[in-house]
Amino acid sequence: MRSFRNVLVTGGAGFIGGNFVHYLFRRAGGFTGRVIVLDALTYAGNASSLADVERDFPDRYAFVRADICDADAVRRVFAEYDIDAVVHFAAESHVDRSILGPEAFVRTNVMGTFNLLEAARSAWGFGSGKPREGTLFHHVSTDEVYGSLGPTGYFTEDTPYDPRSPYSASKASSDHLAFAYHHTYGLPVTLSNCSNNYGPYHFPEKLIPLMILNILEGKPLPVYGDGKNVRDWLYVEDHCDAIWRILTAGSVGRKYNVGGENEVENIRIVNTLIDVVSAKAGLDPEKVRSTISYVADRPGHDRRYAIDCSRIKKELGWSQSVSFDEGIDRTVEWYLRNMDWVAGIKSGEYTKWIERNYDNR
Ligand code: NAD
Ligand code: DAU
């Protein structure tokens, strides 16, 4: 088992990165190291999601507000905190935004990843001098790099890349860069391609949190196209557990698919959420159902994703621990109990919180 003293988590103020930081402090068996979150706090980053970690682990947690495209800032973090592992989540992550404005995706996902790889290579001495032992760069990627499936079949780790949106093309590019650094310079790299996550701290532009909040607010429920696109949903804590296993025991230079083995059509997700949210919030589900609104399809909308995750199950003993029903129940409960988090994002309170806490550092 590998162990690390100073883990750099990029994008730690976002949805999965934030859950991963919580996982490291509360659930990762045997982890006693320090966590350094590096995040630019874009619209999707919310450092208040980590306020409890900052309060409970002041000696083992540091937050640096910086852009991964800022090479000097990234280099400084490696030096100042003596980083020995990187878990790289930071990205522009929303497909619809990538269609409206692809440039930010190329900048952050391609150039930002390049900067981080360069900083790691230089700080750890790969490609020149004596490489430092005991280091690892884990790159977090998506199943979307594999393209779109028809009604049958699964993505394996050997499926050729076929990205179809600016988002997935930028992620595919970053995956290639990460492995190029491994093959060319010997940088110790691992990589994971995961399916759709859901759970706490999910920014409410993505399907599940958007629907939960629109149901509560009595707003229309926009379903793209015929609503029959399929995604493979995984509860976010199970993704965090998979990354932890790869970090500590995964083979260097190897990629691992991670998935829910839980294919669901979008319209079924929406109907499930209508039932669960209505029951918990005392709404009439049939009245809510009448607010479903079929809208224009996403351009180039991938039809189906489905992951074959037998490699990580067989080699690292990982498996999903949270069923879809349980995960949806927990997620809806979390939003109902954390409406202040949602209100913070919506009211601008969150921006003020950043100004108070981080802008002067
Ligand atoms: P997110 O959009 O919720 O969070 C992204 C985080 O990155 C935010 O905190 C943001 O402030 C930060 N960030 C963005 N640009 C930055 C920059 N230039 N410099 C520094 N920080 C920056 O994303 P997410 O859904 O948590 O996804 C995290 C990672 O996991 C991404 O790499 C994504 O491709 C991958 N992924 C996501 C899913 C999913 O279902 N959400 C599934 C598989 C893989
Ligand atoms: O597969 C992993 C990917 O999952 C990640 O790499 C991405 O970062 C993450 O955002 C997610 O991408 P999707 O495009 O699958 O997620 P999204 O929540 O945007 O959409 C899920 C499905 O729901 C998709 O088929 C589009 C549809 N949809 C989405 C929204 C926001 C709707 O029908 N209506 C909506 O309002």
Side-chain angles (χ1 to χ4, degrees):
M1 287 271 286
R2 285 183 288 264
S3 67
F4 301 101
R5 286 182 296 115
N6 294 306
V7 180
L8 175 64
V9 178
T10 72
F15 163 46
I16 309 177
N19 276 282
F20 185 70
V21 172
H22 282 104
Y23 176 94
L24 281 179
F25 282 111
R26 317 250 182 228
R27 297 194 44 213
F31 177 68
T32 54
R34 195 160 55 146
V35 176
I36 297 90
V37 167
L38 185 152
D39 198 298
L41 296 178
T42 68
Y43 80 95
N46 191 338
S48 71
S49 304
L50 297 170
D52 60 325
V53 168
E54 190 163 17
R55 181 195 63 222
D56 296 345
F57 302 94
D59 300 336
R60 295 179 54 208
Y61 171 75
F63 183 90
V64 178
R65 186 175 188 191
D67 189 326
I68 56 168
C69 298
D70 179 344
D72 288 340
V74 171
R75 263 198 298 271
R76 272 199 303 275
V77 169
F78 270 82
E80 186 177 340
Y81 294 97
D82 190 27
I83 300 300
D84 55 1
V86 177
V87 186
H88 176 33
F89 293 96
E92 289 290 339
S93 70
H94 190 37
V95 175
D96 292 334
R97 284 180 188 257
S98 83
I99 294 165
L100 295 169
E103 191 174 340
F105 288 71
V106 174
R107 182 183 174 277
T108 285
N109 301 358
V110 184
M111 284 307 295
T113 301
F114 162 72
N115 261 334
L116 279 170
L117 289 163
E118 270 294 286
R121 178 169 90 85
S122 148
W124 298 340
F126 284 87
S128 63
K130 189 170 176 292
R132 175 170 164 183
E133 285 181 11
T135 53
L136 189 71
F137 189 112
H138 181 72
H139 179 61
V140 180
S141 191
T142 169
D143 60 357
E144 300 202 10
V145 298
Y146 297 123
S148 178
L149 291 165
T152 57
Y154 296 90
F155 299 134
T156 72
E157 286 85 355
D158 297 323
T159 301
Y161 277 25
D162 182 24
R164 293 149 46 99
S165 72
Y167 163 68
S168 53
S170 66
K171 289 298 292 186
S173 172
S174 65
D175 291 13
H176 290 315
L177 276 171
F179 273 143
Y181 270 64
H182 173 65
H183 292 295
T184 307
Y185 304 113
L187 190 75
V189 169
T190 50
L191 198 152
S192 50
N193 296 95
C194 189
S195 64
N196 285 62
N197 286 215
Y198 67 102
Y201 306 109
H202 206 176
F203 194 83
E205 64 186 350
K206 310 280 170 63
L207 180 71
I208 289 183
L210 178 90
M211 291 296 164
I212 294 173
L213 297 182
N214 280 14
I215 292 168
L216 290 170
E217 291 167 12
K219 290 185 180 162
L221 309 177
V223 174
Y224 298 168
D226 64 3
K228 294 193 172 158
N229 297 64
V230 171
R231 298 291 182 265
D232 174 3
W233 293 92
L234 177 71
Y235 192 64
V236 62
E237 267 179 29
D238 280 333
H239 186 190
C240 295
D241 184 44
I243 293 172
W244 176 244
R245 283 170 193 259
I246 298 168
L247 206 62
T248 52
S251 297
V252 171
R254 199 153 172 78
K255 81 203 292 275
Y256 296 89
N257 279 356
V258 183
E261 297 180 296
N262 173 45
E263 293 179 47
V264 194
E265 282 185 353
N266 292 340
I267 189 64
R268 210 189 106 207
I269 299 262
V270 175
N271 276 307
T272 302
L273 288 171
I274 289 172
D275 292 336
V276 175
V277 176
S278 299
K280 288 183 190 289
L283 303 172
D284 172 356
E286 293 324 311
K287 212 166 147 198
V288 177
R289 224 175 302 281
S290 70
T291 64
I292 291 178
S293 163
Y294 286 90
V295 298
D297 209 352
R298 171 185 281 175
H301 197 174
D302 288 340
R303 190 62 173 171
R304 173 173 166 262
Y305 303 143
I307 277 275
D308 174 342
C309 51
S310 48
R311 173 179 290 178
I312 190 169
K313 288 185 149 184
K314 214 179 305 159
E315 296 182 10
L316 302 180
W318 174 85
S319 65
Q320 309 88 352
S321 68
V322 180
S323 71
F324 190 56
D325 286 350
E326 169 72 22
I328 287 291
D329 194 80
R330 282 196 207 176
T331 304
V332 172
E333 276 293 324
W334 188 87
Y335 279 90
L336 288 171
R337 288 189 189 162
N338 289 278
M339 290 309 282
D340 51 340
W341 182 87
V342 173
I345 290 172
K346 293 195 170 180
S347 71
E349 213 18 72
Y350 166 60
T351 312
K352 287 183 215 146
W353 192 91
I354 294 178
E355 281 163 8
R356 279 199 304 274
N357 288 281
Y358 293 110
D359 273 1
N360 295 325
R361 285 190 183 183

